[in-house]
Amino acid sequence: MTARVVLLVTSPRLPVGLLTAAAWDVVRGNPVLAGAESELTAAVRAAGAEVTVPDGPPVPALLHAAAAHGAAVWLAGPAGDESLARELGLRLAREPGLAELELMYGSWDPPGARLLDAVEVMDRLASPGGDPWKRAQTHRSLAGYLIEECYEAYDAIGADDTDALREELGDVLLQVLLHARMAEELPDGARWTVDDVAGGLVDKMIRRNPHVFADDRATTLDEITANWERIKRAEKARDSVLDGIAPSLPALALAAKILDRAGRAGLTVPLPAADPPDGARLDPSPDAEARLDPSADPEARLGAELLAAVAAARAADLDPEAALRRTTLAYADAIRAAERTTPRP
């Protein structure tokens, strides 16, 4: 009978010892070899298996064990031991009668497992001995980078470039991980971790989607949206329908968001007039002489006209921010084209 060599690969992102029943059977019934001592070799020994770390070249030792016992198992390290697998495969290709080679997965990465790697890398970068730049940052000093990375992801979406979107979302995730790692060093009572971020998100998603995780019978998009808003209102006690809107949004996006919230609440509030009656003021306080009516204050007049344009865009189901961006970028292309044909002064 031909000897059998089993390459047993496990996920380094799962706790040691979480092996399939088939994997436990093969390591308990055959000699096991490994490239180095590890938590996994200790766990396999504790389960009653024989584990050896060869002193010399591993491939001959593995083939010798397989020939002597009919089968042998190589317990792959965290990186998978690709060089050993390649050497062993070439050897058996030249001498196929030595043994049969079998690849077995004792455990495998669950979806999202690489997020654990990202957390580990960020922890090292932001810990003593890591990256001095990251250790010198604060939540406030990083705020601009978070906005910038979000805009780059937004641009990738607008360009329908899914490869660029994948990369830019990684940069957004970097900001999330760095903020969470920094929060671990806040004073007692204020500190939190990336697990708190993820846990809060999981709880929120389950709570706000009862049509998926509970027995709610909402089926249409309108019913699901109404449920979301109802649950959100119950979670957050707010005095105004505008509470929760970020004031630092770009002006056009801020105006569109405010108009949308007011519309969904059924509120009808007249827009500021671009040209009110003579003598009207935006601010009647005596110390606000600079805040005159739009007919006297060019900036206020322009603001009123822009707000009216945003309201018209919303009524037409158009995105004013995207529209202005599209037209502005087209204008930028025209400028670049003109530069190519116009002599420099």
Side-chain angles (χ1 to χ4, degrees):
M1 177 181 289
T2 304
R4 175 176 169 231
V5 173
V6 178
L7 294 183
L8 183 60
V9 179
T10 60
S11 169
R13 302 174 185 90
L14 295 178
V16 296
L18 290 182
L19 302 180
T20 64
W24 278 120
D25 287 343
V26 78
V27 298
R28 287 186 176 125
N30 302 284
V32 180
L33 289 79
E37 298 290 352
S38 65
E39 292 183 354
L40 181 56
T41 60
V44 171
R45 280 199 190 95
E50 173 192 346
V51 183
T52 303
V53 177
D55 293 331
V59 170
L62 183 59
L63 290 173
H64 176 75
H69 299 274
V73 180
W74 180 262
L75 194 60
D81 294 351
E82 291 184 10
S83 60
L84 176 135
R86 186 180 306 109
E87 180 184 348
L88 180 62
L90 291 174
R91 175 75 181 274
L92 295 179
R94 292 193 302 268
E95 303 177 66
L98 288 178
E100 293 179 349
L101 182 59
E102 176 184 346
L103 176 64
M104 176 180 289
Y105 287 93
S107 62
W108 48 89
D109 290 342
R114 295 308 303 270
L115 290 173
L116 300 176
D117 293 344
V119 171
E120 182 180 356
V121 168
M122 182 56 66
D123 180 64
R124 181 172 179 182
L125 288 171
S127 295
D131 179 14
W133 184 88
K134 289 180 176 60
R135 287 186 52 77
Q137 299 310 304
T138 65
H139 293 300
R140 190 175 293 274
S141 71
L142 289 171
Y145 294 104
L146 179 58
I147 293 174
E148 180 181 347
E149 300 299 355
C150 289
Y151 272 123
E152 290 181 2
Y154 182 92
D155 287 342
I157 293 172
D160 290 326
D161 190 338
T162 54
D163 287 337
L165 177 59
R166 181 190 64 243
E167 179 181 352
E168 299 303 341
L169 288 177
D171 292 339
V172 174
L173 178 60
L174 184 153
Q175 296 298 314
V176 174
L177 295 176
L178 183 52
H179 278 283
R181 177 59 183 81
M182 289 163 46
E184 293 182 26
E185 300 181 6
L186 292 172
D188 288 345
R191 93 178 39 126
W192 43 270
T193 70
V194 69
D195 286 320
D196 296 314
V197 175
L201 174 62
V202 169
D203 292 344
K204 181 189 295 184
M205 291 298 99
I206 293 175
R207 194 170 56 246
R208 294 191 184 178
N209 291 277
H211 58 288
V212 176
F213 299 102
D215 57 358
D216 190 278
R217 297 183 180 279
T219 55
T220 69
L221 289 179
D222 288 342
E223 291 172 340
I224 292 170
T225 302
N227 264 355
W228 178 282
E229 294 297 335
R230 175 182 55 78
I231 297 169
K232 187 175 179 180
R233 285 194 302 271
E235 292 174 355
K236 299 177 180 288
R238 288 174 169 170
D239 298 325
S240 168
V241 296
L242 304 184
D243 288 350
I245 297 177
S248 55
L249 279 171
L252 285 177
L254 177 62
K257 192 76 172 177
I258 288 173
L259 290 169
D260 179 65
R261 287 279 188 91
R264 282 192 287 163
L267 299 173
T268 303
V269 180
L271 297 174
D275 192 7
D278 291 341
R281 293 176 180 272
L282 295 180
D283 186 340
S285 59
D287 59 344
E289 293 300 322
R291 301 179 185 177
L292 299 176
D293 64 79
S295 62
D297 182 348
E299 185 178 271
R301 180 183 180 87
L302 175 60
E305 292 171 348
L306 288 173
L307 183 58
V310 174
R314 179 178 175 275
D317 199 23
L318 296 173
D319 183 344
E321 190 85 20
L324 180 59
R325 179 182 298 273
R326 174 182 175 183
T327 302
T328 301
L329 292 177
Y331 183 62
D333 289 340
I335 291 175
R336 292 189 181 94
E339 286 178 320
R340 291 192 290 269
T341 59
T342 302
R344 297 266 183 181

